[in-house]
Amino acid sequence: MVALQIRDVPDEVRDILAERARQLGQSLQGYLLDLVKGEAERAGNVALLQRFEDRSDGAESSMSETVRELDTDRAARATGLGFPPGEPGVTA
């Protein structure tokens, strides 16, 4: 493990962070470590999402396309279950 040090933190910023840590029942060090870990996790999530940016397998379909596909699938499922088209809760 390594130690990190942050210099020139304004007193009012330190006080706000210390108060937030106290509210959560944490030490200031524990609270700040959680913040740093969370930031590192989010950076990993962004990197993962960027790996899929250029996908062309339908992952970028529009909302209206998705709604149409869902409606079609629901209607087909309802028909397969014996419900007539237009049954409540079933869109055709």
Side-chain angles (χ1 to χ4, degrees), residues 15-27 31:
D15 293 345
I16 291 169
L17 294 171
E19 176 59 23
R20 182 71 180 131
R22 187 193 65 73
Q23 291 171 352
L24 295 172
Q26 294 180 293
S27 66
Y31 176 68

Side-chain angles (χ1 to χ4, degrees), residues 7-17:
R7 296 181 183 181
D8 302 320
V9 177
D11 290 339
E12 54 275 3
V13 170
R14 186 254 177 234
D15 293 345
I16 291 169
L17 294 171

Side-chain angles (χ1 to χ4, degrees), residues 33-47:
L33 180 57
D34 285 348
L35 288 177
V36 171
K37 285 180 179 179
E39 184 61 28
E41 288 171 7
R42 283 187 293 282
N45 291 345
V46 168

Side-chain angles (χ1 to χ4, degrees), residues 17-73:
L17 294 171
E19 176 59 23
R20 182 71 180 131
R22 187 193 65 73
Q23 291 171 352
L24 295 172
Q26 294 180 293
S27 66
L28 179 57
Q29 179 176 330
Y31 176 68
L32 293 174
L33 180 57
D34 285 348
L35 288 177
V36 171
K37 285 180 179 179
E39 184 61 28
E41 288 171 7
R42 283 187 293 282
N45 291 345
V46 168
L48 179 64
L49 291 173
Q50 287 173 339
R51 286 180 37 207
F52 295 98
E53 254 180 355
D54 298 325
R55 286 177 64 164
S56 60
D57 61 355
E60 294 183 19
S61 62
S62 70
M63 178 68 81
S64 60
E65 290 171 321
T66 302
V67 169
R68 273 195 309 275
E69 290 172 11
L70 288 172
D71 287 345
T72 300
D73 289 347

